């Protein structure tokens, strides 16, 4: 899908979405580059077969010590979003290039980022001045329209803002990084890509285009199978309360942290013939807040049943803990 709709944009997979080593290896072998936010993530992608040139250090706020280590690896470009952040590049003796991350409209996205990251356009002259004083080359712009962006025009508005910023004195944009926010569904991705391709005309044909898909690549790669380990009647009406052998503190961390609503499918030969009844699914920890879904309708379940859940690759394994002593699940890889 990416190569079909955005062939001119080099994907830099956002490792934060899922840092599974096998998946990183698959991505490296497929020609993806990588968006790394930490030294640990850089080491992870090196082990997966990537080279320093394949990385953008896209963390807008970092320590001077980490800047120094990334510079020692030979990572070519990083990101800043304030004049103060340039001071850390200077202190860390950064010798690569710097993209300025702009604050762009992100209302309506599932997780807006502008509250924490991004420089208002009127900061651009100050940041450029600081980069020149530190003798760090300005190489372009970056932005992020927010996670799970539902409005393709957000990308158009963001690229227009990058073009506006390029009018500042001493701006030398060779790269425009369009960030992430893409949903791994053909129709919505094609709509966003069409807007992006149209907006790319605002820049010279020599411009290099980067993207930072995380969820887009990661989410479809993992499917989960969980078992029902407990069943008891509801106290407030018809239906059942079930306990499963996973948790919102485990791989279902995508529920509280990422706002996801997984869909559960019963894997049983008689699933179609079972009565559908009100159900609540709880996780296995001793915490009443450990609820996967409340007041849904499912075929009646029994202890030992298996539930299948798709789209479990993004912000699940990577954010899972072993709270209450329950281990992370076994991963089975299928080529």
């Amino acid at each position: 899908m990416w190569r079909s709709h955005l062939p001119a944009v080099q994907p830099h997979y956002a490792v934060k979405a899922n840092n599974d080593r096998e998946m990183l290896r698959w991505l490296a072998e497929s020609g993806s580059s990588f968006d790394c936010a930490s030294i640990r993530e850089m080491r992870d992608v090196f082990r997966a077969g990537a080279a320093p040139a394949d990385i953008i250090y896209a963390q807008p706020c970092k320590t001077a010590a980490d800047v120094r280590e990334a510079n020692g690896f030979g990572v070519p470009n990083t990101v800043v979003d304030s004049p103060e952040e340039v001071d850390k590049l200077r202190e860390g003796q950064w010798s690569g290039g710097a993209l300025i991350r702009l604050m762009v409209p992100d209302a309506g996205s599932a997780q807006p980022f502008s509250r924490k990251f991004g420089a208002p356009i009127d900061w651009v002259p100050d940041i450029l001045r600081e980069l020149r004083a530190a003798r760090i080359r300005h190489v372009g712009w970056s932005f992020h329209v927010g996670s799970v962006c539902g409005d393709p025009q957000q990308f158009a508005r963001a690229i227009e803002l990058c073009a506006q910023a390029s009018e500042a004195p001493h701006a030398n944009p060779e790269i425009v990084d369009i960030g992430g926010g893409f949903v791994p569904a053909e129709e919505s991705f094609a709509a966003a890509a069409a807007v992006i391709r149209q907006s790319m005309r605002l820049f010279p044909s020599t411009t290099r285009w980067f993207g930072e898909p995380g969820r887009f690549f990661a989410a479809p790669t993992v499917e989960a199978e969980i078992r029902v380990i407990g069943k008891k009647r509801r106290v407030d009406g018809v239906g059942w309360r079930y306990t499963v052998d996973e948790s919102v503190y485990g791989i279902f961390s995508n529920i509280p942290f990422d706002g996801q609503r997984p869909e559960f499918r019963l894997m049983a030969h008689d699933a179609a013939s079972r009565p559908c009844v009100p159900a609540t699914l709880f996780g296995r920890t001793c915490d009443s807040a450990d609820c996967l879904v409340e007041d849904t309708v499912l075929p009646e379940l029994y202890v030992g049943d298996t539930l299948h859940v798709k789209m479990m690759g993004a912000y699940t394994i990577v954010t899972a803990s072993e709270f209450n002593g329950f281990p992370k699940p076994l991963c089975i890889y299928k080529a």
Side-chain angles (χ1 to χ4, degrees), residues 198-274:
Q198 179 70 23
S199 300
M200 288 168 69
R201 299 176 184 177
L202 295 173
F203 283 82
S205 60
T206 54
T207 303
R208 297 163 61 199
W209 293 85
F210 291 177
E212 298 174 3
R215 180 189 318 279
F216 180 82
F217 285 160
T221 66
V222 179
E223 299 180 358
E225 291 185 3
I226 58 175
R227 287 186 306 114
V228 178
I229 61 172
K231 175 182 180 178
K232 56 187 174 184
R233 67 195 67 186
R234 294 166 67 110
V235 296
D236 56 352
V238 177
W240 299 95
R241 291 175 289 167
Y242 303 102
T243 302
V244 299
D245 65 345
E246 249 305 327
S247 164
V248 297
Y249 296 99
I251 60 170
F252 287 98
S253 51
N254 62 343
I255 295 173
F257 294 146
D258 195 39
Q260 297 302 299
R261 296 293 177 262
E263 296 183 4
F264 301 89
R265 182 174 64 87
L266 172 61
M267 298 176 66
H269 66 87
D270 62 342
S273 63
R274 294 190 190 181

Side-chain angles (χ1 to χ4, degrees), residues 1-9 178 182-183 185-198 200 216:
M1 283 170 57
W2 188 278
R3 287 173 173 156
S4 173
H5 294 291
L6 287 177
V9 180
I178 63 174
F182 306 102
V183 177
E186 183 92 33
E187 185 176 354
S188 63
F189 181 64
V195 170
I196 291 166
R197 291 195 306 271
Q198 179 70 23
M200 288 168 69
F216 180 82

Side-chain angles (χ1 to χ4, degrees), residues 270-309:
D270 62 342
S273 63
R274 294 190 190 181
C276 290
V277 294
T280 295
L281 297 184
F282 286 105
R284 61 188 171 183
T285 68
C286 293
D287 187 340
S288 63
D290 188 3
C291 183
L292 280 60
V293 63
E294 193 162 13
D295 295 325
T296 188
V297 175
L298 291 171
E300 185 173 354
L301 306 177
Y302 302 102
V303 172
D305 277 342
T306 298
L307 298 175
H308 182 261
V309 193

